[in-house]
């Protein structure tokens, strides 16, 4: 299935096929008849035949994880990422601390300071994934779309710390080109422009 | 008096009673009615700049400002109505015009009154606009001002002027371009005592502390209520703490705040909090009985004298006293010893154990005389009370000290610079001027006036004002307590307290001089092997980081009590932990089992008969004592003369002792270790600005950089008392003026 089809949540426009299900037998005699029919009738052998046929054809129908990975919905809430601004490469996080405040598991911590240009700089940012419940509040509250949920759901490493320090979450500067404008959980809705009321300007 | 009458009136149909002098807002707040305000501050006169506090009065046209209007009998006040809500909403709309949308990086966010009220009145968009002029962020040293965030409420200006007295900032009018500016237009930096109160009272993020800037969001900090330890006022403060960093969980103090609505603190208290101690490397926290600990216990056991100063709690003082009893050693604390002698003579003359002045008496006085104290640094709280007295009652303030103090010019009517060392004569003259002739001998006014350099016209003025004044207070400071003739001076003061309505307020410089003087039996001189407690000795036990042989917790790392200048017992709490042993642990190794206590604060019960946790509102009352005959002051013998160049071992505006001299990164601040003198001093000592100089005081050698201060006068230079080797600090507990020979160090 393509990503577009996955993202389409408008019921009715997808090609769903209604499944016809026969009525279940109700009386004892009818139930008995069904069991006998399925047990010694054709149905058992049909199933066995299909398995045998596919085995002989070497056609594999399961996903070959981990060499093959299914695409995941953009609104899936896995391990966080810290994004950069696409044009300048600057870090998006301004250190407002709203994520730290809203986090229900109290698992976000950050250190801020004044940098050389007297701006607020976030020197360290960490999420304790052992406590995070992946609720997505942090991503939703972030005014800069800086902290977002990524799609990395494989939480395997020698150390928990490998996921959660700023360096691990921040888009490396040389990977900036690969960073996509985030459209998942916490992002602006597509019609955001229409919802904004502009401040009148005096000039 | 008619004014004292109570006034009955109604707020939202409920009958309330206003006491004399109360405004509608005061009564409403007391009775639990909510009236929004933005510019109101309890500690200064109503500013009346925000107009949010408008209320309706039935039957009268238009609305009135509740913050400055006193009620009249029977009026019916409404604090909320459709109209008032709209009116307040409009004000908020105006405040929000072009206000930068930068809460995300504003230190005030979360504690911002503009943010709160914008939310309260539901302002979510800006319907009109105005062209924004270019506004520049100003850097005033420890204080930063951002005019684009300023809402021009004028709280900072009023506080600086009416509560502090520095009067260093003002409002520059200019319509939409109005801003807060320095009063001294010739200066780029803020030349004030740097109390930081303007930061505290600013309702928005316009004035912020550059030390604190961007280090934490307000809501992440936890408050630990405690007491400032830098002077004898013992102001109530909150240490605001949080983990040190993402990866270090130990608590750290990020800033100090106070209840700015009705109290003020000084810069030493606000910015000098980073003095938490760490144990020496060899002091293993896990294993109490290690080599280093044996070393300190042995050092105390072998000592003949323990030298200390009054920068300690009552509990620590009590332990030292017990150590003295157990080990038969000497206990030396010059400042507290002098205070004991002073108070002894004082009570034999006055018939009471303690002087009767309180800080509140200063605030309500209409004549104030300060003698022998550089009050602006020795106890800023008393100075703030003087400011309020001047602003409220136009009190007549005479400031008598050898060193000219330019910052007091706003409130002091009489600046009298007496000759160094002649305090005895000065007080004798004052007693004549203030209470008239009650002495047993004839004071040779002409001679004493000549020697002290206190003019007879000046005394006549003090006498004239004294006749008119109902509430008079005489404030005496550390130069009097440390003076050789302290006992005779105390007798003059005791007689004044006894025979007149003048109150006497004694202001020692250190935190807990009254506590130590009450608890310890002190000796005059040290002998043999000495152990220094926070002060130099052969073996030094110290609460100062990186100083001394054995480290003990600093005063923000332990619980304990102190006695302030109002003789009130106050509690210190733990803001930051200390993983090592304290004086109590050392003492427990030495004491008999019956005197051992698990924790230091278990000794609070031994001192005050209540447990530390339930201790509240203990006031040490003055007692009348039986005296056969009042001890009268003796005749004044020849007054000493100090000629040539003098050095004054003094605090600076921000650094009160070595503890306050740690910067925000916990580094000891040497930079300010200058010798500061006037141009006249430079000429007399044949030195120039920036020269390295050497001098010797009572056998201690000092090396300082000389700096000329244009505001200073005379041949007295200030020698700041916060050395790393504690020598100058130690000197500050004796008489602070010393004759020196200044030698220029050849480059
Ligand atoms: S997803 Fe929820 S629990 Fe996890 S860090 Fe964000 S706010 Fe906290
Ligand atoms: S909410 Fe966003 S911008 Fe604010 S601190 Fe968190 S990540 Fe940074
Ligand atoms: S002053 Fe208040 S409203 Fe203005 S940016 Fe700062 S926090 Fe926000
Ligand atoms: S700086 Fe702060 S306190 Fe001063 S006028 Fe502006 S908003 Fe008010
Ligand atoms: S130094 Fe004195 S006046 Fe200043 S805050 Fe501390 S106790 Fe108060
Ligand atoms: S509180 Fe009354 S005008 Fe501001």
């Amino acid at each position: 299935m393509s990503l577009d089809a996955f993202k389409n949540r408008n019921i009715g426009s997808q090609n769903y096929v209604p499944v016809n299900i026969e009525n279940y037998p109700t009386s004892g005699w009818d139930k008995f008849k069904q069991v006998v029919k399925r047990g010694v009738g054709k149905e058992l052998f049909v199933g066995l035949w299909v398995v045998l046929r596919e085995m002989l054809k070497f056609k594999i129908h399961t996903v070959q994880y981990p060499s093959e990975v299914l695409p995941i919905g953009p609104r899936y809430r896995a391990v966080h990422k810290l994004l950069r601004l696409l044009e300048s490469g600057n870090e998006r996080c301004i250190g407002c601390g709203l994520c730290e405040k809203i986090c229900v598991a109290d698992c976000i911590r950050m250190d801020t300071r004044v940098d050389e240009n007297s701006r607020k700089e976030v020197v360290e940012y960490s999420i304790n994934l052992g406590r995070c419940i992946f609720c997505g509040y942090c991503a939703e509250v972030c005014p800069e779309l800086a902290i977002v949920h990524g799609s990395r759901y494989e939480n395997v490493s020698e150390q928990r710390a490998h996921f959660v320090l700023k360096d691990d979450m921040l888009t490396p500067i040389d990977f900036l080109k690969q960073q996509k404008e985030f459209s998942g959980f916490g992002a602006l809705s597509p019609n955001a422009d229409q919802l904004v009321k502009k401040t009148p300007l005096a000039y | 008096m008619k004014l004292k009458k109570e006034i009955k009136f109604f707020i939202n149909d409920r009958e309330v009673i206003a006491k004399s002098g109360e405004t509608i807002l005061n009564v409403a707040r007391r009775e639990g009615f909510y009236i929004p305000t933005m510019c109101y501050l309890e500690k200064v006169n109503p500013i009346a700049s925000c107009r949010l506090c408008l209320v309706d009065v039935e039957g009268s046209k238009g609305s009135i400002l509740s913050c400055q209007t006193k009620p009249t009998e029977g009026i019916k006040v409404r604090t909320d109505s459709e109209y008032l809500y709209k009116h307040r909403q409009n004000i908020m709309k105006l405040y929000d015009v072009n206000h930068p949308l930068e809460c995300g990086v504003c230190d005030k966010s979360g504690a911002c009154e503009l943010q709160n009220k914008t939310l309260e009145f539901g302002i979510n968009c800006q319907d009109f606009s105005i062209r924004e002029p270019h506004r520049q962020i100003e850097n005033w040293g420890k204080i930063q001002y951002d005019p684009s965030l300023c809402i021009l409420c004028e709280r900072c200006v009023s506080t600086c002027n009416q509560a502090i007295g520095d009067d260093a900032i003002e409002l520059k009018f200019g319509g939409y371009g109005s801003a807060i500016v320095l009063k001294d237009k010739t200066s780029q930096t803020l030349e004030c005592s740097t109390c930081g109160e303007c930061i505290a009272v600013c309702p928005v993020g316009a004035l912020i502390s550059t030390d604190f800037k961007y280090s934490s969001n307000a809501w992440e900090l936890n408050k630990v209520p405690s007491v400032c330890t830098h002077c004898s006022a013992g102001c109530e403060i909150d240490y605001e703490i949080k983990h040190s960093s993402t990866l270090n969980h130990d608590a750290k103090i990020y800033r100090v705040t106070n209840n700015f609505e009705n109290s003020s603190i000084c810069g030493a208290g606000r910015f000098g909090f980073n003095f938490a101690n760490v144990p020496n490397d060899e002091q293993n926290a896990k294993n109490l009985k290690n080599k280093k600990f044996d070393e300190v216990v042995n050092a105390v056991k072998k000592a003949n004298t323990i030298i200390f100063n009054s920068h300690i709690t009552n509990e620590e003082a009590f332990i030292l006293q017990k150590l003295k009893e157990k080990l038969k050693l000497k206990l030396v604390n010059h400042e507290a010893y002098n205070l004991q002698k002073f108070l002894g003579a004082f009570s034999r003359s006055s018939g009471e154990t303690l002087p009767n002045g309180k800080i509140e008496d200063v605030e309500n006085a209409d004549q104030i005389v300060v003698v022998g104290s550089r009050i602006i640094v020795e106890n800023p709280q008393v100075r703030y009370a003087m400011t309020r007295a001047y602003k409220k009652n136009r009190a007549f303030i005479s400031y008598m000290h050898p060193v000219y103090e330019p910052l007091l010019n706003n409130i002091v009517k009489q600046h009298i610079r007496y000759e160094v060392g002649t305090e005895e004569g000065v007080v004798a003259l004052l007693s004549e001027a203030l209470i008239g002739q009650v002495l047993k001998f004839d004071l040779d006014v002409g001679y004493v006036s000549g020697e002290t350099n206190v003019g007879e016209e000046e005394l006549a003025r003090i006498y004239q004002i004294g006749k008119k004044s109902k509430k008079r207070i005489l404030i005496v400071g550390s130069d009097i307590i440390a003076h050789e003739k302290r006992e005779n001076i105390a007798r003059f003061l005791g007689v004044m307290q006894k025979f007149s309505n003048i109150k006497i307020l004694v202001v020692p410089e250190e935190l807990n001089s009254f506590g130590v003087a009450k608890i310890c039996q002190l000796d005059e001189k040290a002998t043999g092997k000495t152990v220094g407690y926070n002060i130099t000795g052969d073996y030094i036990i110290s609460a100062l980081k990186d100083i001394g042989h054995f480290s003990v917790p600093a005063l923000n790392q332990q619980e304990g009590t102190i006695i302030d200048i109002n003789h009130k017992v106050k509690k210190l709490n733990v803001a930051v932990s200390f993983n090592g042993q304290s004086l109590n642990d050392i003492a427990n190794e030495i004491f008999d089992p019956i005197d051992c206590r698990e924790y230091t604060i278990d000794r609070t019960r031994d001192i005050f008969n209540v447990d530390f946790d339930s201790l509240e509102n203990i006031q040490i009352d003055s007692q009348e004592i039986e005296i056969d005959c009042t001890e009268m002051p003796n005749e004044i013998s020849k007054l000493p003369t100090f000629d040539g160049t003098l050095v004054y071992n003094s605090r600076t505006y921000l650094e009160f002792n070595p503890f306050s001299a740690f910067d925000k990164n916990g580094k000891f601040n040497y930079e300010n270790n200058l010798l500061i003198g006037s141009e006249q001093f430079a000429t007399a000592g044949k030195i120039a600005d920036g020269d390295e100089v050497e001098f010797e005081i009572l056998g201690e050698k000092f090396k300082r950089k000389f700096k000329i201060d244009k505001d200073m006068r005379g041949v007295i230079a200030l020698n700041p008392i916060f050395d790393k080797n504690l020598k100058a600090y130690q000197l500050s507990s004796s008489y602070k003026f010393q004759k020196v020979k200044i030698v220029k160090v050849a480059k």
Side-chain angles (χ1 to χ4, degrees):
Chain A
M1 203 188 334
S2 74
L3 207 59
D4 275 348
F6 207 99
K7 278 170 77 177
N8 182 2
R9 291 185 298 275
N10 298 326
I11 297 173
S13 63
Q14 299 103 328
N15 39 358
Y16 292 124
V17 183
V19 183
N20 274 332
I21 299 171
E22 285 173 33
N23 288 341
Y24 288 107
T26 45
S27 70
W29 177 239
D30 284 347
K31 282 184 184 159
F32 177 71
K33 276 203 297 189
Q34 193 189 43
V35 170
V36 172
K37 195 173 142 207
R38 285 184 175 171
V40 297
K42 209 167 75 183
E43 283 181 28
L44 174 67
F45 298 101
V46 170
L48 286 172
W49 163 243
V50 169
V51 172
L52 186 69
R53 184 188 70 203
E54 296 300 313
M55 203 174 86
L56 294 174
K57 281 208 274 182
F58 287 99
K59 198 169 167 194
I60 295 162
H61 285 264
T62 47
V63 174
Q64 296 301 289
Y65 183 83
S67 57
E68 191 188 343
V69 181
L70 275 181
I72 217 163
R75 292 178 69 80
Y76 190 80
R77 302 194 297 265
V79 175
H80 306 69
K81 287 204 289 194
L82 272 172
L83 302 183
R84 290 180 184 273
L85 289 169
L86 291 177
E87 300 83 18
S88 61
N90 285 345
E91 291 166 26
R92 297 186 81 129
C93 175
I94 54 169
C96 71
L98 292 183
C99 50
E100 192 181 14
K101 177 71 191 162
I102 204 169
C103 176
V104 281
D106 200 7
C107 62
I108 300 184
R109 266 190 187 182
M110 54 203 293
D111 301 335
T112 53
R113 64 168 196 131
V114 191
D115 76 1
E116 292 67 37
N117 308 317
S118 356
R119 294 171 70 102
K120 194 170 187 175
E121 185 192 359
V122 179
V123 277
E124 187 52 274
Y125 185 105
S126 81
I127 299 182
N128 180 349
L129 289 189
R131 289 173 71 171
C132 175
I133 59 163
F134 298 94
C135 62
Y137 280 8
C138 47
E140 191 161 2
V141 79
C142 179
E144 302 293 325
L145 206 58
I147 187 82
V148 300
H149 282 288
S151 52
R152 177 170 146 195
Y153 51 79
E154 297 140 318
N155 298 352
V156 189
S157 183
E158 293 107 52
Q159 279 190 25
R160 208 187 271 168
H162 286 173
F163 297 102
V164 292
L165 293 180
K166 191 179 163 201
D167 283 348
D168 308 300
M169 290 188 278
L170 187 65
T171 313
I173 190 79
D174 28 328
F175 281 79
L176 185 62
K177 290 238 165 59
Q178 271 105 304
Q179 184 186 300
K180 298 259 158 45
E181 189 55 34
F182 185 71
S183 58
F185 197 80
L188 293 180
S189 58
N191 63 341
D193 274 349
Q194 288 135 42
L195 301 176
V196 168
K197 190 177 164 206
K198 292 209 174 92
T199 304
L201 288 179
Y203 34 87
Chain B
M1 280 202 312
K2 271 214 185 96
L3 271 174
K4 286 264 177 296
K5 223 179 78 189
E6 290 180 337
I7 295 157
K8 268 192 203 143
F9 70 108
F10 299 86
I11 300 180
N12 297 351
D13 299 329
R14 198 169 98 205
E15 188 184 280
V16 290
I17 293 173
K19 299 195 197 93
S20 104
E22 274 187 323
T23 60
I24 297 176
L25 181 66
N26 293 148
V27 181
R29 283 194 173 178
R30 177 158 52 74
E31 296 289 332
F33 294 103
Y34 172 66
I35 300 176
T37 60
M38 194 69 116
C39 69
Y40 184 74
L41 264 189
E42 236 170 82
K43 66 183 175 190
V44 294
N45 296 338
I47 302 163
S49 67
C50 75
R51 305 187 67 80
L52 267 180
C53 67
L54 224 58
V55 292
D56 282 335
V57 174
E58 232 171 75
S60 82
K61 259 193 272 149
S63 312
I64 55 163
L65 292 180
S66 63
C67 70
Q68 61 170 11
T69 316
K70 294 184 182 127
T72 48
E73 193 71 35
I75 55 166
K76 294 196 167 75
V77 174
R78 281 226 75 84
T79 61
D80 49 3
S81 71
E82 188 81 356
Y83 164 76
L84 286 175
Y85 187 80
K86 279 260 137 38
H87 163 85
R88 289 169 184 158
Q89 208 171 27
N90 283 335
I91 293 176
M92 291 315 299
K93 278 187 184 165
L94 288 174
Y95 273 142
D96 284 336
V97 167
N98 289 3
H99 189 88
L101 289 173
E102 59 176 59
C103 298
V105 291
C106 181
D107 276 346
K108 200 72 184 184
S109 182
C112 172
E113 292 179 37
L114 185 70
Q115 224 177 26
N116 291 348
K117 296 237 154 45
T118 301
L119 216 67
E120 184 183 332
F121 290 99
I123 317 293
N124 50 19
C125 63
Q126 180 173 326
D127 304 322
F128 44 90
S129 102
I130 178 167
R131 197 187 184 97
E132 186 68 11
H134 176 65
R135 300 182 203 255
Q136 186 103 30
I137 293 181
E138 303 283 342
N139 239 317
W140 295 333
K142 283 212 177 287
I143 300 164
Q144 179 196 296
Y145 174 62
D146 185 344
S148 51
L149 295 175
C150 177
I151 58 166
L152 299 170
C153 67
E154 287 181 68
R155 276 190 188 184
C156 52
V157 177
S158 296
T159 302
C160 189
N161 179 317
Q162 293 170 29
I164 305 299
D166 279 21
D167 207 8
I169 47 179
E170 66 182 358
L171 181 68
K172 184 189 86 188
F173 290 99
Y176 190 59
S178 302
I180 302 300
V181 292
L182 304 180
K183 212 157 193 174
D184 182 1
K185 297 290 173 326
T186 57
S187 169
Q188 292 293 312
T189 57
L190 190 54
E191 306 245 343
C192 65
S193 60
T194 320
C195 64
E197 267 300 306
C198 48
I199 300 173
V201 298
C202 182
V204 293
L207 284 166
I208 57 163
S209 150
T210 43
D211 278 3
F212 177 74
K213 189 177 174 189
Y214 295 164
S215 61
S216 175
N217 286 307
W219 56 81
E220 296 295 332
L221 299 168
N222 292 319
K223 292 187 178 195
V224 179
S226 192
V227 165
C228 169
T229 59
H230 296 311
C231 87
S232 51
C235 296
E236 278 156 27
I237 55 165
D238 289 320
Y239 290 114
E240 300 209 346
I241 61 166
K242 186 176 99 165
H243 48 81
S244 307
S245 73
T246 303
L247 303 173
N248 178 359
H249 306 279
D250 296 337
K252 180 182 136 185
I253 303 174
Y254 280 74
R255 64 175 171 189
V256 161
T257 50
N258 61 320
N259 176 5
F260 62 83
E261 272 280 338
N262 39 33
S263 71
S264 308
I265 63 171
C266 77
R270 189 180 308 281
F271 302 112
F273 55 78
N274 218 352
F275 53 83
N277 199 7
V278 280
N280 297 355
D281 291 341
E282 308 109 285
Q283 281 172 250
N284 186 347
K286 300 263 153 41
N287 179 13
L288 192 83
K289 304 268 154 57
N290 58 33
K291 250 169 72 195
K292 195 75 188 168
F293 187 62
D294 293 342
E295 178 191 303
V296 66
V297 172
N298 279 330
V300 174
K301 276 186 183 160
K302 289 209 194 91
N304 306 93
T305 308
I306 296 181
I307 311 182
F308 66 111
N309 69 0
S310 307
H311 193 87
I312 61 173
T313 62
N314 292 327
E315 287 70 16
E316 287 174 291
F318 184 80
I319 294 169
L320 291 176
Q321 173 62 23
K322 282 271 168 203
L323 278 173
K324 171 185 174 142
E325 287 161 19
K326 170 77 188 170
L327 299 173
K328 307 268 173 299
L329 40 73
K330 287 202 161 132
L331 221 46
V332 172
N333 175 335
H334 297 300
E335 198 209 4
Y337 176 83
N338 293 343
L339 183 64
Q340 281 179 342
K341 291 278 164 232
F342 176 91
L343 289 177
F346 182 87
S347 51
R348 288 192 298 278
S349 306
S350 66
E352 281 178 73
T353 48
L354 292 171
N356 56 3
K358 299 266 158 65
I359 291 192
E360 295 78 61
D361 297 322
V362 178
E363 187 171 345
N364 297 323
D366 32 31
Q367 180 177 26
I368 301 170
V369 182
V370 186
V371 55
S373 174
R374 193 168 167 230
I375 200 77
I376 200 162
V377 291
E378 286 184 15
N379 194 313
Q381 204 50 243
V382 171
R383 182 244 177 160
Y384 300 158
M386 285 160 52
T387 305
R388 289 195 299 272
Y390 175 71
K391 300 287 171 184
K392 268 195 343 200
N393 340 321
R394 291 284 138 189
F396 186 93
I397 303 173
S398 312
Y399 178 75
M400 312 177 82
H401 198 255
V403 178
Y404 175 67
E405 189 55 70
L407 277 183
L408 286 180
N409 272 346
N410 301 317
I411 57 165
V412 163
K413 284 277 171 58
Q414 238 185 351
H415 239 114
I416 301 174
R417 282 164 63 207
Y418 60 78
E419 289 295 325
V420 171
T422 63
E423 282 84 354
E424 190 189 13
V426 175
V427 174
L429 291 173
L430 272 178
S431 98
E432 284 258 321
L434 286 169
I435 64 169
Q437 186 57 273
V438 292
L439 303 176
K440 280 204 182 130
F441 59 92
D442 279 335
L443 187 68
D444 183 351
V445 175
Y447 165 77
V448 179
S449 161
E451 289 295 296
T452 56
N453 199 17
V454 179
E456 287 183 48
E457 323 78 66
E458 286 163 327
L459 290 167
R461 186 114 184 259
I462 292 178
Y463 168 74
Q464 289 299 341
I465 301 287
K467 272 208 307 197
K468 286 190 297 191
S469 307
K470 288 199 191 67
K471 293 180 180 159
R472 304 185 287 169
I473 190 159
L474 177 58
I475 301 167
V476 294
S478 62
D479 294 345
I480 302 284
I481 301 166
H483 196 271
E484 238 186 347
K485 294 287 179 57
R486 66 188 74 83
E487 292 183 60
N488 203 35
I489 303 178
R491 284 191 277 269
F492 278 107
L493 297 167
V495 167
M496 277 195 235
Q497 170 162 319
K498 183 170 176 139
F499 293 113
S500 75
N501 64 354
I502 294 174
K503 298 214 161 165
I504 311 284
L505 177 64
V506 175
V507 185
E509 183 174 60
E510 275 297 346
L511 171 69
N512 197 16
S513 305
F514 280 111
V516 174
K518 184 179 152 61
I519 291 162
C520 298
Q521 284 157 359
L522 298 167
D523 300 279
E524 191 179 358
K525 281 209 171 65
T527 51
K529 274 206 172 62
T530 57
V531 166
Y533 193 69
N534 288 334
I535 219 152
T536 49
D538 298 331
Y539 189 90
I540 302 176
I541 304 173
S542 153
L544 272 160
K545 207 166 12 182
D546 305 333
I547 294 176
H549 302 99
F550 191 85
S551 296
V552 288
L555 287 180
N556 54 15
Q557 295 171 299
Q558 50 172 316
E559 290 178 308
T561 58
I562 58 121
I563 301 178
D564 71 359
I565 49 166
N566 280 350
H567 312 294
K568 193 176 168 199
V569 182
K570 286 180 173 162
K571 287 208 252 188
L572 300 171
N573 285 316
V574 177
V576 184
S577 62
F578 178 83
N579 298 318
Q581 300 96 355
S582 64
L583 180 66
N584 188 49
D585 298 318
I586 299 170
N588 280 344
E589 291 294 305
I590 297 168
F591 286 165
D592 302 330
I594 189 163
D595 284 328
C596 291
R597 301 280 181 273
E598 193 176 357
Y599 300 109
T600 308
I601 50 157
D602 294 336
R603 312 217 177 245
T604 314
R605 170 159 277 286
D606 300 329
I607 309 169
F608 298 111
N609 252 328
V610 289
D611 285 333
F612 178 79
D613 290 325
S614 43
L615 181 144
E616 248 172 89
N617 278 330
I618 293 194
Q619 177 78 38
I620 311 292
D621 285 321
S622 178
Q623 266 129 31
E624 291 201 11
I625 50 170
E626 293 283 321
I627 33 175
D628 303 338
C629 67
T630 305
E631 207 176 280
M632 292 300 275
N634 300 330
E635 209 158 333
I636 297 174
S637 46
K638 201 170 148 9
L639 292 170
T641 48
F642 283 67
D643 294 329
T645 43
L646 295 183
V647 157
Y648 176 45
N649 297 312
S650 168
R651 301 171 159 197
T652 63
Y653 289 147
L654 270 179
E655 314 303 0
F656 283 15
N657 51 38
F659 291 95
S660 73
F662 289 95
D663 69 8
K664 65 168 173 175
N665 301 318
K667 293 248 155 44
F668 199 82
N669 183 355
Y670 292 107
E671 297 251 314
N672 297 349
N673 250 348
L674 307 160
L675 181 74
I676 308 157
S678 62
E679 277 160 351
Q680 200 183 341
F681 186 91
T683 327
K686 299 192 182 60
I687 44 176
D689 194 282
D691 279 353
E692 292 272 337
V693 294
E694 265 182 348
F695 52 93
E696 205 178 295
I697 307 173
L698 304 178
E700 302 289 1
K701 282 207 173 59
F702 289 93
K703 209 172 180 176
R704 297 267 200 250
K705 207 166 159 183
F706 181 70
K707 187 177 162 244
I708 289 182
D709 184 336
K710 296 243 158 29
D711 283 332
M712 284 189 48
R713 297 176 189 172
V715 282
I716 305 170
L718 297 187
N719 182 32
I721 59 167
F722 51 98
D723 282 64
K724 197 155 192 175
N725 60 17
L726 302 177
K727 284 179 186 160
Y729 188 36
Q730 193 159 17
L731 282 174
S732 75
S733 58
S734 343
Y735 192 63
K736 295 203 179 65
F737 294 92
Q738 298 292 342
K739 249 186 268 193
V740 288
K741 217 172 138 293
I742 307 272
V743 184
K744 193 166 139 183
V745 183
K747 286 245 168 74

